[in-house]
Amino acid sequence: MKTVQLSPHIWRLGSWMVLPMNVWLVRSGDGLILIDGGIPTMAKGILRTMEQLKLPLKAILLTHGHSDHVGSVNEIVKQTSAPVYLYKDEIPYAEGELPYPGRKKAQKMLDKGLASPLPEDSEGHLQPWDSLIPIWTPGHSPGHVAYYHKEDGVLIGGDLFTTRKGRLARPIPMFTSDMKTAVRSGAVIKDLQPKLLSICHGSDISHPHLQWEGYWARWS
């Protein structure tokens, strides 16, 4: 597993299995937040990196419930007892109660009750998690969430995009529930104008909003 520090508070941990597979550790106060869990074989590398950083794991925040984003979660929870959070609309799909849109059968990705809903205010708006701002970005899955670190200017996009030769590309079609909605959700880069976009299956993109118009023209 390769670890790259993206910004003062964020590390990207990457592996390779046909495609790049990235997860992120975010320093928050006196601890760490893990965003996504990758595949099961990534657990050892994630735990080793946390040991090297010498900070405890405070929480696991998931962008969504697909298997390549939650694979190491059980092992990491076993080792750290960290709580797990997922957008409320995603939980019944991840727990296997409902099949993801476009899938014939439900598939259990997380043990029932392991993930709690991301905190919301009385009007249903997602609440900041320490230094991270969760943003509902549906389409790839019903409850997909991106996380924006405002201080560092980094948007952690999960499967909101892929990349091709340094250019933004749409998420992988065969695993995307609603491509039109997913592409529209990508407008978050236009609104936030982050310094850096980091995604699961692709390379980091500096100032991704500069590519928005071309992305929209190609994929909308």
Side-chain angles (χ1 to χ4, degrees):
M1 179 177 287
K2 183 178 181 180
T3 300
V4 177
Q5 186 166 6
L6 300 179
S7 67
H9 297 90
I10 301 172
W11 292 262
R12 171 172 49 76
L13 288 64
S15 187
W16 184 276
M17 194 184 74
V18 183
L19 293 169
M21 307 285 294
N22 295 317
V23 302
W24 302 266
L25 283 169
V26 180
R27 186 172 70 233
S28 180
D30 59 354
L32 294 168
I33 294 172
L34 175 65
I35 298 181
D36 281 350
I39 57 177
T41 55
M42 296 176 76
K44 184 176 180 180
I46 293 169
L47 291 165
R48 182 173 60 247
T49 302
M50 289 191 295
E51 289 178 2
Q52 293 169 348
L53 294 173
K54 298 179 180 180
L55 290 169
L57 186 63
K58 298 167 68 174
I60 300 171
L61 307 183
L62 300 174
T63 61
H64 60 297
H66 288 170
S67 60
D68 57 334
H69 292 257
V70 305
S72 71
V73 168
N74 282 338
E75 181 62 23
I76 293 173
V77 169
K78 180 180 177 181
Q79 297 294 328
T80 66
S81 299
V84 181
Y85 294 88
L86 186 62
Y87 188 60
K88 62 182 181 182
D89 290 358
E90 190 81 2
I91 291 176
Y93 300 100
E95 291 181 346
E97 292 183 8
L98 297 172
Y100 275 101
R103 307 281 181 89
K104 293 182 179 180
K105 294 182 179 180
Q107 184 177 359
K108 182 180 177 181
M109 309 294 186
L110 290 172
D111 291 340
K112 189 173 181 61
L114 180 64
S116 299
L118 285 165
E120 299 179 354
D121 64 17
S122 59
E123 297 180 350
H125 300 130
L126 290 173
Q127 294 297 285
W129 190 279
D130 292 345
S131 54
L132 292 162
I133 300 171
I135 303 164
W136 183 44
T137 49
H140 179 69
S141 71
H144 188 283
V145 169
Y147 295 91
Y148 182 50
H149 195 288
K150 186 175 182 179
E151 181 179 350
D152 287 9
V154 177
L155 179 65
I156 296 172
D159 281 356
L160 185 59
F161 300 97
T162 58
T163 61
R164 296 180 183 177
K165 298 180 179 180
R167 297 176 69 193
L168 290 175
R170 63 182 180 171
I172 300 171
M174 70 179 296
F175 300 117
T176 299
S177 300
D178 181 342
M179 186 61 76
K180 289 184 178 180
T181 299
V183 170
R184 285 196 299 269
S185 288
V188 67
I189 60 171
K190 180 181 68 172
D191 298 334
L192 296 175
Q193 299 193 9
K195 296 177 183 176
L196 187 72
L197 168 70
S198 191
I199 57 174
C200 181
H201 308 302
S203 57
D204 302 325
I205 301 290
S206 297
H207 304 290
H209 65 281
L210 298 177
Q211 295 193 30
W212 170 251
E213 296 299 333
Y215 175 82
W216 180 254
R218 286 193 302 276
W219 302 112
S220 66

